[in-house]
Each structure stands twice: as C-alpha cells, then as structure tokens.
Amino acid sequence: MIRFGLCCIFRKEPIKFRRTTAKYLGRFSRRQQLANLSEICMANADALYRALQFCRRHGIKGFRINSQILPLKTHPEIGYRFEDLPSHRKIRRMFERCGTYASEHDLRTTFHPDQFILLSSPDNNVTQRSTADLIYQSEVAQWVNADVINIHAGGAYGDKIRTLNRLRREIERLPEAVRRRLTFENDDRIYTPEDLLPVCNDMEIPLVYDVHHHRCLPDGNDVEKTTQLALKTWNREPLFHLSSSLNAKGDGNPRNHHDTIDIADFPRCWLQLDTTIEVEAKGKELAVLKLMKEVFRLSAEKSA
DNA sequence: AGCGGTCAAGTTGAT
DNA sequence: ATCAACTTGACCGCT
C-alpha cells in the first residue's frame, strides 16, 4: 500500500503553526522573549497533535513537520536552549504525545530542513550552523518518532565531485541521532539522483527520489530505473516526492508547484509500492485527498 | 478589522 | 559587483 503524506500546512482545515521573527522579539527582555517563544512552541505542539488527528481521520498516513516548529531555535541572537523555555516540560510531553499517537495509528512523520541547511558548504560556519539545526530537529524527531530528516546536497561551489567528497566527510561527523534519520533528495538545479546515489550507497543515507525534480533536471535514467535504484538505498519504508508543474505548457517557471497533482504525473511504476509519497502541492490536504481518490481508481482499473 | 511590508539563514545566475 | 529568485504564509504594525 502507498502511504500518502501531507506537507507541513493546511489549505482549508483551520490548523495553523505559529512563528515569529527575531526583529520583533529583539525589542523585549530575554525573559519576555522566552515566555513568548514558549507560548508559540506550545501552540505548535498542540497544532501538530491536531494535524495528526486530521490525517488519521482522512486516511493520510504521513505528515511532514515544518522546520520552524520551535521557531528561531538556533538563531544567532535569539536562539535558545529548549530547557530555558518556561513551559519546556509541558511542551515536551505534548510532543511525546504526538509521537505516541503517530505510532498507535501508523502515521509517519518527517522533517525537511530548508534550503539554508547545508552540509556541503566550503564555509565552516555554514556547516556548523547547519549541523546545529539538524541536531535540534533530530531532538524533536526523537520526541515525535519521526524517522526522516531530509535535505538537499546544496550548491556546486564550482566542483560537484569535490563538494560531494566534502559532504561525505561532514556526514561522518554527525551525531548518531541525526545520521540515522538523514536522507538526501535530488534537486532541480544541481544534483541528480545519479549524482547522489554513490554517496547514498556508500554512506547508507537513503535517497528521497523527487520525480518532479528529476523531470526538471534529468540524468539519463528513466523514472522506472531511478525508482529501483532509490528503493535499494532504503533500510526502512522508502520515501518519494511528487508534485506537478505550475506551468506545464505555459512560459512561467516550470519548477513551481501546481495546486493539485495531475494524475498523468503519477508514475505508474509506483502503483504497487509500499512507500510513502509526500505530495507537494499548494492545495495541501485537498490535493492529497484528491490524488488518493484518483490513484485508488487507477489501481482498481489496473487489477480489474 | 483589514492591509501591506517583512521575515535568519546560502547559492546561483542574470545584469 | 549587485541583487532577485528560490517559496511562502503568517505575523506585526499601522491605518
């Protein structure tokens, strides 16, 4: 069975994750900052629980957690230790409750740190800060039983081979809690599945295969072949990404995501897989539910 | 209450 | 050398 995953937020369902800015918090005393952050983190733990409940009710068995779930956690000025939040014990219990709920109902959760998290940068400060962020996300991942922290390989810095070697060295230095959750995803500008597979295989880091990115930045392998290669990198349930171009035939940027998934973009060779497919579409839960219906129909036709 | 400017972060590529 | 794009909604401050 395919497990479909929703990414981070909702389109219609009134479940919101809160955030704040360093600039805004900067005007308050440290005590007030921490009180404010504590409140936001608690609201986010509560929102996550409600998000998981929504997913369970609707048969959506995967949920990607926003990387700002503890806002500004590693910010150079505003960053804080979790234990410094006034309500940290309660917040932690609330996240652990999410983890229990997810396990009980077979819901899979994942993290996808954003574009600034780079293990391959030649700038040591960048990789240091990135690692700090990965550690924070792995801590929350532990509470909520998330088994994936998925990132991209980063920039080319003029030499992809040298950069990937730097990436390998950086992986070896990661704490175990990060490394056993870490995955790499092919991107739409620089690193193809073919580029990443050697690193993934050697370092035992699974490949999150994004078929839309692969269509934007091909590497000579077709979808079937790459699917098979990606599957082999997984020592747990595989995870793939699916989205549809906003401008399939227009002149806009084809890398942008559409509201929904065009069923024509769903690789037929994925139909029989026991895999999580995270649906990247602006229509969020509406798009996931629509796709689930259409894929179900497709499977029924195929077996009939 | 509603609207618009703003938001931590890095890298690439257009100008 | 500079700067927008990437992607993006939600927050805050002002009206």
Side-chain angles (χ1 to χ4, degrees), chain A residues 6-293:
Chain A
L6 169 64
C7 297
C8 304
I9 55 173
F10 293 81
R11 177 71 171 262
K12 278 256 163 61
E13 189 67 15
I15 297 172
K16 304 279 183 206
F17 291 91
R18 294 185 56 194
R19 33 179 51 171
T20 186
T21 63
K23 193 169 180 178
Y24 172 66
L25 289 180
R27 74 191 69 174
F28 300 113
S29 71
R30 188 60 176 163
R31 176 196 286 272
Q32 286 173 304
Q33 289 176 356
L34 291 169
N36 194 337
L37 287 161
S38 187
E39 207 168 293
I40 293 173
C41 292
M42 196 176 327
N44 285 348
D46 178 60
L48 179 59
Y49 193 76
R50 286 181 289 117
L52 294 175
Q53 285 181 312
F54 175 93
C55 289
R56 191 195 66 82
R57 280 202 305 275
H58 293 83
I60 298 173
K61 305 280 263 180
F63 187 73
R64 182 192 298 174
I65 299 170
N66 190 302
S67 34
Q68 288 266 35
I69 189 89
L70 306 184
L72 304 172
K73 178 69 174 66
T74 63
H75 186 278
E77 276 104 45
I78 304 290
Y80 49 94
R81 295 186 312 174
F82 182 70
E83 296 71 30
D84 291 340
L85 298 176
S87 306
H88 68 96
R89 286 190 187 82
K90 180 165 185 208
I91 296 167
R92 180 171 170 158
R93 278 198 303 275
M94 289 169 76
F95 277 116
E96 287 169 342
R97 183 161 162 259
C98 291
T100 306
Y101 185 84
S103 298
E104 280 172 355
H105 298 287
D106 185 33
L107 301 168
R108 187 186 203 188
T109 52
T110 67
F111 285 81
H112 193 4
D114 57 34
Q115 58 186 320
F116 309 108
I117 303 306
L118 297 161
L119 292 178
S120 62
S121 174
D123 181 341
N124 237 357
N125 294 319
V126 172
T127 54
Q128 290 284 311
R129 286 199 303 274
S130 296
T131 300
D133 213 78
L134 291 172
I135 290 171
Y136 130 60
Q137 296 194 43
S138 75
E139 197 178 3
V140 184
Q142 223 142 11
W143 301 337
V144 302
N145 291 324
D147 70 327
V148 166
I149 299 176
N150 177 42
I151 60 173
H152 293 285
Y157 311 99
D159 186 340
K160 285 209 267 186
I161 303 297
R162 283 188 58 182
T163 300
L164 287 174
N165 284 334
R166 206 162 46 229
L167 181 61
R168 287 170 187 254
R169 283 202 298 281
E170 220 43 55
I171 293 167
E172 294 195 320
R173 301 170 47 158
L174 291 172
E176 185 55 27
V178 175
R179 185 165 172 175
R180 70 162 178 273
R181 294 183 172 87
L182 192 70
T183 64
F184 288 129
E185 175 185 350
N186 60 300
D187 63 80
D188 53 12
R189 308 165 66 101
I190 299 163
Y191 292 101
T192 65
E194 192 70 9
D195 290 329
L196 297 176
L197 278 162
V199 182
C200 289
N201 286 320
D202 293 351
M203 310 296 293
E204 298 186 304
I205 303 291
L207 177 71
V208 171
Y209 175 37
D210 186 314
V211 66
H212 174 58
H213 289 165
H214 193 211
R215 286 166 177 148
C216 294
L217 181 71
D219 57 8
N221 292 332
D222 60 23
V223 173
E224 288 75 16
K225 173 93 185 286
T226 305
T227 296
Q228 288 309 314
L229 293 170
L231 287 176
K232 284 197 201 110
T233 64
W234 285 87
N235 62 356
R236 49 199 186 275
E237 182 176 309
L239 174 64
F240 293 165
H241 285 178
L242 180 64
S243 52
S244 285
S245 239
L246 180 56
N247 290 301
K249 29 186 163 287
D251 53 358
N253 186 343
R255 293 198 299 256
N256 288 347
H257 292 168
H258 196 83
D259 263 354
T260 56
I261 303 297
D262 181 343
I263 190 69
D265 291 329
F266 183 90
R268 295 307 186 261
C269 63
W270 287 9
L271 272 178
Q272 308 300 326
L273 301 180
D274 293 312
T275 295
T276 302
I277 297 173
E278 287 186 338
V279 179
E280 299 183 319
K282 289 165 177 284
K284 295 298 166 187
E285 79 276 18
L286 307 180
V288 179
L289 294 170
K290 178 168 181 284
L291 178 68
M292 283 168 57
K293 262 187 220 149

